[in-house]
Amino acid sequence: MANTHSPLFRFWREFSENRLAVVALLIVLALMVLALFAPYIVPQNPYDLETLSLMDARRAPGFIGSGGYVHFLGTDPQGRDLLSAIFYGLRISIMIGIAAGCIALVLGTSVGIFAAYVGGKIENFLMRIVDLQLSFPAILLALVLVALLGQGKFQLIAALVAAQYAYFARTAYGAAKGERKKDYVEAALATPLSGFQVAFKHLLPNCMPPLIVVATVQIASAISLEATLSFLGLGLPVTEPAWHAHFKRISLHDERSLLDFGLSGRCSYYFDRGDQHCWRSNQRPV
Amino acid sequence: MTKVLEVNELKTHFFTRDGVVKAVDGVSFSLEKGEILGLVGESGSGKTVTGFSLLGLVDAPGQIVGGTIQLNGENLVGLPEKKLRAKRGKNIAMIFQDPIATLNPLLTIRTQMSLALEAHARMNKREIESRCIDVLTKVGIPDPAARLDSYPHEFSGGMRQRVAIAITLLHSPGVIVADEPTTALDVSIQAQILSEMRSLARETGTAMIWISHDLATVSSLATRLLVMYAGKVVEEGPTAQVLKNPRHPYTRGLIDSLPAMAKPGEPLTQISGTTPSLLSLPPGCPFAPRCDRASEVCVQDPTPETNADRMWRCHHPMQEEEAVR
Amino acid sequence: MSLFFQVDQVTREFHPKISLGDKIASKLGARVETRSVKAVNNVSFQLEEGQTLGLVGESGCGKSTLGKLAAGILETSEGTVLLDQKPVMKDGKKTTTRIQTVFQDPFASLDPRMKVGEAVAEGPIANNLVSKADAIAYVKDWFARVGLDPDFTDRYPHQFSGGQRQRIAIARALAMQPDLLICDEPVASLDVSIQAQIINLFLQLRKDLNLTCLFISHDLSVVRHVSDRVAVMYLGKIVEEGETSAVFENPAHPYTKALLASVPKLVLDKDELVQFEAIEGEIPSPLSPPPGCYFAPRCPYVGEKCNQTNPPLETVGFERKAACFYIPADFEKANKQA
């Protein structure tokens, strides 16, 4: 029982045992690095109209353009280097995905835990709204919202948050409802501690494991949702290259599904694997 | 008397990430027809793993690494799973602590019992029914014919445990391993089940291993006691003798620490410290760090001493004149 | 002596959850079954300062619910719980820090994601018993008093054994400086050798801090050891109450008698098996208790009256109450001798 390792260390030990998870983590980290350092890696800034030349438009991969560098993936109708555009698009996709995911996490978790904690009519009211929302596909809701709010980064994030917080709310509610019955919560209430303290110091940390799992899925799905919206022409304005806007433009549907798979599906899958491991290890009685 | 079960130097180890856990480390005992053997120990003493090992139910990372288990003269250790399964339930059966977990909530008692029966015997419907009613009557379930079509949730906790016991009795196994079967039950229900079990063993000649942490309960059933500590049997002998004149300081400590042994309100005699982690056992006698009789020799493994039908594993055993009362 | 702690005619009912469909159905005139369970049924008792009352009974008898009502964790359906004449709960909120609880399962009662030192400090800081600056020293002091290494405050609950966790739970309760400690089966989930340690710690601290205690347990020998008075519960009611040794040596109620007889006791001076007597039958369902005395269907002394009316808890001897019409004759005899 003299297990003096910190929880983080134990998580890492369990995580690192799964090679697949480690490989996935490396891929994710690589993507993050690519997105973060895109301006230093790729030759062209696709936002900078001055560097673009229509002379270079619609060129095949391997073409050496007016900038004097190789367009490894060719160029689009505006003469943008596709490789650069993909890396810059990665930045926006990841940024919107993570921002929307995190805001939805905070909002949804608060709603869920609050509902589970107060109970009664407020609980019923909040959770029925969530249920109602869950009964519609997220994409539908996002479409309507984007149509109402208009285009732009913040509008997109707002639409994604509104579409996705329900998943977090439902998960947090379920977990908190279970934890609420446990002795330690009763002990905290009997001390007595205020409801706020009980909810955030005791309920919240113990509801985290399932929430982390949901978060990994939801961040990935935020990215693909954003991609879908862009593909449908409701995403970011054309001046901003997000990943899937490009796929639409170059109409490489096979490649699209491949990359989609690579970014959203695969990553979240491995994220999940890791988190479930962590979750299980924390649940195990020592 | 015939020996139905003979366990010799049984070793079950768990190969975990943090090291080898010697949950059962050289346990030997034998069981005669109709005998009830009490296996007493605290959590982590290896009593439950011993029970599971007997039925070959140890899961990875656990493994039986040594010793023999002779059931009616046949060694079970190393037997392929298929052959073990043919014995399990038929020649040796187990009763678990939690009757809710043992019974399938979705099936009626009749279905569960006929499944158990058909696993080892070919019977027609009428034979099955009469056999089921037979065992249910034996464990004291009122109106068994009517209860056959009930679901587990329609029974109370005590009745559920009776049903679980009835299922183990279906094939009249020679040996029943009971792992804390009354711990989850109320005192008054426990008393009922204990007296049923006592008469069962007497009538059917079924030998039983009764595993429990509760000395008093075990002593009300078992004629012989086995006291386990950290994977080893530290003391063995006839119940009355072990209780009256325990030789191992740990057994003595267990008896003395019962509230009934002290005057109300007075401090109890306590064993200091906690049960050691099986991953980092002290050298020699595992009880030495908690023992007030320990000396330098205790860092060496004590060899078992025997006297008549008693055995103890201690360098400084309690003497005759140190009897409890 | 003024009444220190009083539980006055307390009842706690649990209603089944009625689904929306059933609600609509009942509005439309359908009959919907809404049987409620009285987990605690019109129970009264008092505690004097410094006294320990043991509460015994089998599972489902309502002893834990009564403990929660007394601790201000649950609201009463009827009746009041008073500490120094002041109600313990008001508008669904506990009003006092002077009552603290130690729970049965030390694995469930400590937050697995909170350092144990924080868990002990949390209550006193929130209730201004200690300042944040002094909290560390305060917690270390309590760790030492319950027999734990004060350096362990930075660890998580999973790094401790069951006995150590229960010490932490005791430290957490006592750090609130309570006057009344409610112990709900504090040793039931511990090993025998650890049980003795925790009982000794409890006895020691009770003496040092002059605590008043409500000690709930199904283990008769533990209750006998620690309590001054004992109350026996059966199906939501107290059936017998009195001074501990008197109740154990000479039980008045047939249920107490049968319960005592059904516990296997270690008898060391005989060469035979330990003896016990089983009570016949099962505890009736609290959803549909028998019409008269709840114990009547299992009682060997049952008379006519028992199946019609529920006997009230009446004084039957010196500081002794029992709820029975036909108190066994051997009690009367022993009572007169005493």
Side-chain angles (χ1 to χ4, degrees):
Chain A
M1 112 212 64
N3 191 343
T4 47
H5 301 309
S6 72
L8 202 69
F9 176 83
R10 288 189 310 137
F11 163 74
W12 175 245
R13 196 174 60 175
E14 299 255 337
F15 187 87
S16 57
E17 241 171 47
N18 188 335
R19 290 205 185 159
L20 220 55
V22 175
V23 172
L25 183 71
L26 288 179
I27 294 175
V28 170
L29 285 179
L31 283 172
M32 296 279 183
V33 169
L34 281 183
L36 205 62
F37 296 104
Y40 305 101
I41 298 168
V42 296
Q44 192 192 55
N45 180 357
Y47 298 118
D48 190 357
L49 296 173
E50 280 182 17
T51 62
L52 301 181
S53 160
L54 276 178
M55 295 285 288
D56 298 333
R58 295 180 197 271
R59 295 295 186 173
F63 170 77
I64 298 174
S66 53
Y69 44 79
V70 183
H71 297 286
F72 286 102
L73 293 176
T75 58
D76 75 352
Q78 272 84 42
R80 281 185 288 210
D81 177 39
L82 269 178
L83 185 72
S84 311
I86 285 177
F87 280 19
Y88 270 83
L90 187 65
R91 288 162 74 99
I92 291 182
S93 287
I94 289 183
M95 195 269 284
I96 290 189
I98 288 179
C102 291
I103 297 172
L105 172 75
V106 173
L107 183 73
T109 306
S110 310
V111 169
I113 289 183
F114 179 71
Y117 182 79
V118 292
K121 287 203 171 114
I122 301 175
E123 169 188 359
N124 266 329
F125 177 72
L126 286 174
M127 292 325 288
R128 287 308 81 78
I129 291 182
V130 167
D131 287 345
L132 195 70
Q133 223 181 303
L134 285 175
S135 61
F136 292 106
I139 176 84
L140 191 67
L141 200 77
L143 268 175
V144 172
L145 280 169
V146 169
L148 286 176
L149 298 172
Q151 289 186 325
K153 251 187 242 172
F154 295 106
Q155 286 88 333
L156 199 57
I157 291 177
L160 291 176
V161 167
Q164 291 196 314
Y165 90 96
Y167 295 93
F168 291 102
R170 191 77 232 179
T171 312
Y173 171 77
K177 207 70 184 158
E179 296 293 326
R180 177 87 168 77
K181 291 195 194 90
K182 292 198 180 156
D183 274 357
Y184 71 88
V185 177
E186 207 151 77
L189 285 172
T191 300
L193 294 180
S194 71
F196 184 80
Q197 270 171 314
V198 175
F200 285 93
K201 283 177 83 176
H202 292 285
L203 282 180
L204 181 64
N206 285 289
C207 294
M208 277 327 275
L211 281 171
I212 292 170
V213 175
V214 172
T216 58
V217 179
Q218 289 301 318
I219 288 175
S221 91
I223 292 174
S224 55
L225 203 58
E226 183 263 343
T228 318
L229 289 173
S230 300
F231 189 73
L232 295 173
L234 284 167
L236 294 177
V238 194
T239 45
E240 299 210 17
W243 258 28
H244 295 267
H246 285 281
F247 299 132
K248 187 185 172 192
R249 223 162 282 132
I250 54 184
S251 302
L252 280 172
H253 286 281
D254 288 346
E255 199 179 349
R256 189 201 131 208
S257 54
L258 189 80
L259 278 167
D260 187 13
F261 179 66
L263 186 65
S264 339
R266 244 0 206 188
C267 299
S268 75
Y269 172 68
Y270 291 131
F271 257 139
D272 272 359
R273 291 285 296 257
D275 283 317
Q276 270 164 14
H277 270 269
C278 131
W279 186 69
R280 240 183 265 137
S281 74
N282 284 336
Q283 294 295 311
R284 187 180 302 153
V286 178
Chain B
M1 276 288 207
T2 43
K3 283 191 173 146
V4 285
L5 185 73
E6 231 183 322
V7 176
N8 198 15
E9 281 299 308
L10 178 69
K11 288 183 178 173
T12 306
H13 295 178
F14 286 79
F15 300 90
T16 67
R17 198 202 324 261
D18 301 309
V20 180
V21 174
K22 296 176 177 171
V24 179
D25 200 22
V27 167
S28 309
F29 60 88
S30 65
L31 198 60
E32 280 166 13
K33 198 166 184 287
E35 188 184 2
I36 302 182
L37 179 76
L39 192 54
V40 191
E42 298 182 272
S43 51
S45 62
K47 57 187 195 305
T48 300
V49 179
T50 306
F52 275 72
S53 303
L54 295 180
L55 278 96
L57 290 174
V58 182
D59 288 329
Q63 209 186 330
I64 299 179
V65 291
T68 54
I69 302 167
Q70 307 267 356
L71 181 67
N72 300 320
E74 189 186 353
N75 189 3
L76 299 184
V77 176
L79 225 54
E81 174 63 22
K82 209 174 166 190
K83 286 202 174 154
L84 266 180
R85 211 180 295 147
K87 303 236 176 288
R88 219 181 279 148
K90 195 173 176 211
N91 306 96
I92 183 164
M94 189 154 183
I95 305 170
F96 298 89
Q97 176 172 355
D98 184 2
I100 302 166
T102 352
L103 298 172
N104 186 334
L106 300 176
L107 301 177
T108 60
I109 301 305
R110 184 198 294 273
T111 326
Q112 300 195 36
M113 293 184 101
S114 24
L115 283 175
L117 267 177
E118 281 160 358
H120 298 294
R122 278 175 161 263
M123 284 176 138
N124 63 30
K125 273 206 166 150
R126 195 159 341 111
E127 284 169 330
I128 287 177
E129 178 159 342
S130 73
R131 180 72 192 141
C132 290
I133 293 177
D134 198 32
V135 289
L136 287 175
T137 321
K138 248 188 219 160
V139 295
I141 289 185
D143 198 6
R147 303 304 306 260
L148 256 184
D149 288 306
S150 315
Y151 288 90
H153 72 90
E154 294 172 73
F155 291 89
S156 66
M159 282 295 159
R160 243 179 258 155
Q161 190 60 290
R162 281 167 205 254
V163 172
I165 294 171
I167 291 178
T168 60
L169 291 177
L170 280 171
H171 293 285
S172 339
V175 179
I176 290 181
V177 181
D179 185 12
E180 307 242 12
T182 59
T183 309
L185 304 175
D186 279 322
V187 195
S188 68
I189 308 299
Q190 163 178 300
Q192 292 171 0
I193 290 193
L194 288 179
S195 54
E196 306 278 3
M197 294 309 275
R198 197 146 72 179
S199 52
L200 256 175
R202 209 174 289 145
E203 285 160 21
T204 60
T206 309
M208 242 181 259
I209 298 173
W210 195 270
I211 302 172
S212 178
H213 69 280
D214 184 354
L215 259 177
T217 322
V218 176
S219 323
S220 66
L221 272 181
T223 42
R224 288 177 65 76
L225 271 190
L226 224 64
V227 183
M228 281 189 77
Y229 187 79
K232 290 196 165 76
V233 177
V234 292
E235 177 151 14
E236 186 191 345
T239 305
Q241 286 185 38
V242 171
L243 292 183
K244 213 195 304 180
N245 186 15
R247 304 305 291 266
H248 199 284
Y250 174 64
T251 320
R252 177 65 191 261
L254 274 187
I255 297 171
D256 281 347
S257 63
L258 293 173
M261 290 293 144
K263 271 191 195 146
E266 301 281 312
L268 303 170
T269 322
Q270 66 181 45
I271 307 178
S272 58
T274 50
T275 20
S277 156
L278 290 172
L279 278 168
S280 51
L281 282 179
C285 173
F287 187 60
R290 301 175 73 185
C291 181
D292 45 16
R293 296 165 82 96
S295 68
E296 299 91 59
V297 286
C298 294
V299 293
Q300 268 142 37
D301 234 336
T303 43
E305 282 181 61
T306 47
N307 181 2
D309 46 2
R310 298 192 57 180
M311 186 283 284
W312 59 89
R313 216 183 269 263
C314 182
H315 291 292
H316 308 289
M318 302 270 171
Q319 298 307 312
E320 299 274 341
E321 48 292 357
E322 293 177 274
V324 177
R325 239 187 269 167
Chain C
M1 198 184 274
S2 74
L3 282 177
F4 175 66
F5 182 69
Q6 193 181 8
V7 168
D8 191 24
Q9 300 188 339
V10 159
T11 296
R12 171 74 199 196
E13 268 181 275
F14 288 102
H15 299 283
K17 270 205 168 167
I18 305 167
S19 69
L20 189 66
D22 282 350
K23 258 185 205 165
I24 296 168
S26 72
K27 285 265 159 69
L28 293 174
R31 283 182 79 190
V32 175
E33 212 172 346
T34 51
R35 278 191 300 186
S36 60
V37 177
K38 281 186 179 169
V40 172
N41 190 351
N42 196 12
V43 165
S44 305
F45 65 83
Q46 281 115 37
L47 262 174
E48 284 162 24
E49 210 164 348
Q51 210 175 38
T52 298
L53 174 70
L55 199 57
V56 290
E58 299 180 85
S59 63
C61 72
K63 58 185 191 301
S64 282
T65 310
L66 184 54
K68 282 179 187 168
L69 293 171
I73 298 173
L74 271 179
E75 257 185 301
T76 57
S77 303
E78 283 163 46
T80 46
V81 181
L82 302 167
L83 181 72
D84 273 342
Q85 315 289 354
K86 284 193 279 290
V88 165
M89 257 190 141
K90 215 174 199 177
D91 304 327
K93 286 237 164 63
K94 190 177 169 186
T95 55
T96 176
T97 60
R98 292 171 60 199
I99 305 178
Q100 291 296 322
T101 313
V102 176
F103 292 86
Q104 167 174 6
D105 183 359
F107 289 83
S109 67
L110 294 173
D111 185 341
R113 282 165 202 276
M114 187 179 259
K115 286 181 181 165
V116 291
E118 270 175 60
V120 174
E122 189 185 33
I125 293 176
N127 291 285
N128 301 321
L129 291 171
V130 66
S131 70
K132 260 193 182 159
D134 300 334
I136 296 174
Y138 183 73
V139 169
K140 291 202 169 187
D141 178 45
W142 274 110
F143 265 56
R145 285 171 91 162
V146 298
L148 286 169
D149 188 336
D151 292 336
F152 285 174
T153 49
D154 273 344
R155 297 191 174 187
Y156 286 91
H158 73 89
Q159 292 167 297
F160 294 93
S161 67
Q164 288 173 314
R165 285 185 201 213
Q166 201 57 298
R167 287 175 193 266
I168 296 166
I170 291 173
R172 179 179 58 185
L174 293 182
M176 291 295 295
Q177 303 170 5
D179 296 317
L180 173 65
L181 189 68
I182 294 175
C183 302
D184 188 0
E185 304 255 15
V187 295
S189 56
L190 303 177
D191 272 328
V192 188
S193 71
I194 309 300
Q195 264 188 26
Q197 295 177 4
I198 298 296
I199 291 173
N200 284 348
L201 174 70
F202 171 77
L203 293 174
Q204 181 65 42
L205 289 168
R206 182 178 71 178
K207 202 165 79 187
D208 293 351
L209 304 167
N210 190 29
L211 286 170
T212 312
C213 296
L214 180 62
F215 197 96
I216 303 167
S217 179
H218 70 283
D219 189 331
L220 296 168
S221 63
V222 172
V223 168
R224 178 176 199 170
H225 193 78
V226 301
S227 40
D228 306 312
R229 276 167 56 225
V230 62
V232 184
M233 277 187 88
Y234 187 73
L235 226 62
K237 281 181 169 293
I238 290 181
V239 294
E240 178 160 4
E241 196 200 324
E243 205 231 316
T244 307
S245 59
V247 171
F248 275 83
E249 274 151 32
N250 181 26
H253 198 282
Y255 175 65
T256 318
K257 217 172 136 99
L259 193 65
L260 287 171
S262 67
V263 183
K265 280 173 274 302
L266 276 187
V267 185
L268 303 164
D269 43 350
K270 279 191 220 150
D271 267 356
E272 52 191 62
L273 289 179
V274 173
Q275 295 303 314
F276 57 86
E277 280 165 52
I279 313 180
E280 280 186 22
E282 301 225 342
I283 306 169
S285 158
L287 271 172
S288 50
C293 171
Y294 293 168
F295 189 59
R298 303 173 78 185
C299 182
Y301 303 94
V302 64
E304 274 169 52
K305 240 169 141 185
C306 301
N307 287 319
Q308 285 144 20
T309 30
N310 211 331
L313 190 65
E314 282 172 338
T315 308
V316 293
F318 175 67
E319 294 206 338
R320 191 67 173 282
K321 288 175 186 169
C324 184
F325 293 122
Y326 305 98
I327 286 170
D330 37 354
F331 167 74
E332 301 284 355
K333 219 200 263 164
N335 199 27
K336 267 185 200 131
Q337 281 170 0

